[in-house]
Amino acid sequence: MLRIRRELVDEIVAHARRDHPDEACGVIAGPEGSDSPERFIPMVNAARSPTFYQFDSMDQLRLHRELEANGEVAVVIYHSHTATDAYPSRTDVSIASEPDAHYVLVSTKDPDSHQFRSYRIVDGEITEEPVEIIG
């Protein structure tokens, strides 16, 4: 189960709306070993695409160094789908490389509402998990 504060959900959704029609992407970091998402880190979609996301390689390197220096991990890795439901695509599954991360997808296909869903993706297997929004 993903337990996440309302303000972090709001930031993810706002980022997804801002970057629409391109996919938005980012990370929520938390203390290593805690499974507690704490710090919102929006990233730039280097692909600038409505159907694909890719972290800029230099930004990703900086992020990993920063997380390591702070004793943090990527608890949540998020991105948006702009024209489809919030379900991992084959490409999403193929690039999912953090077995302990919660993979959050937000669908912005409907301008008046959004879908917010979380998955575990391990060895190509997708498992949807409940989301508890706190605060």
Side-chain angles (χ1 to χ4, degrees):
M1 170 184 287
L2 172 62
R3 296 187 79 234
I4 186 168
R5 293 190 323 264
R6 162 70 57 199
E7 68 191 58
L8 294 171
V9 171
D10 292 346
E11 288 189 89
I12 291 171
V13 172
H15 182 201
R17 291 277 182 215
R18 262 191 323 274
D19 282 13
H20 190 91
D22 290 338
E23 290 191 2
C25 57
V27 169
I28 301 182
E32 194 168 352
S34 72
D35 197 40
S36 179
E38 299 292 333
R39 188 165 63 92
F40 177 71
I41 307 167
M43 302 287 282
V44 171
N45 180 354
R48 302 255 191 252
S49 168
T51 58
F52 180 72
Y53 81 96
Q54 180 178 21
F55 293 157
D56 176 83
S57 59
M58 291 307 294
D59 287 347
Q60 192 168 11
L61 179 61
R62 278 192 291 278
L63 172 66
H64 281 291
R65 287 180 176 161
E66 181 182 319
L67 294 178
E68 190 173 311
N70 292 339
E72 295 175 309
V73 294
V75 176
V76 170
I77 300 170
Y78 73 86
H79 76 281
S80 61
H81 281 185
T82 61
T84 60
D85 287 335
Y87 189 82
S89 69
R90 283 187 303 240
T91 303
D92 297 338
V93 173
S94 72
I95 62 174
S97 61
E98 299 290 338
D100 295 327
H102 302 271
Y103 286 90
V104 166
L105 277 92
V106 175
S107 175
T108 57
K109 71 178 186 173
D110 183 337
D112 298 320
S113 66
H114 66 271
Q115 298 172 12
F116 187 98
R117 297 167 71 183
S118 183
Y119 304 88
R120 296 295 189 143
I121 304 174
V122 179
D123 296 329
E125 291 290 320
I126 303 166
T127 305
E128 186 167 7
E129 63 181 349
V131 176
E132 180 182 350
I133 299 172
I134 52 180

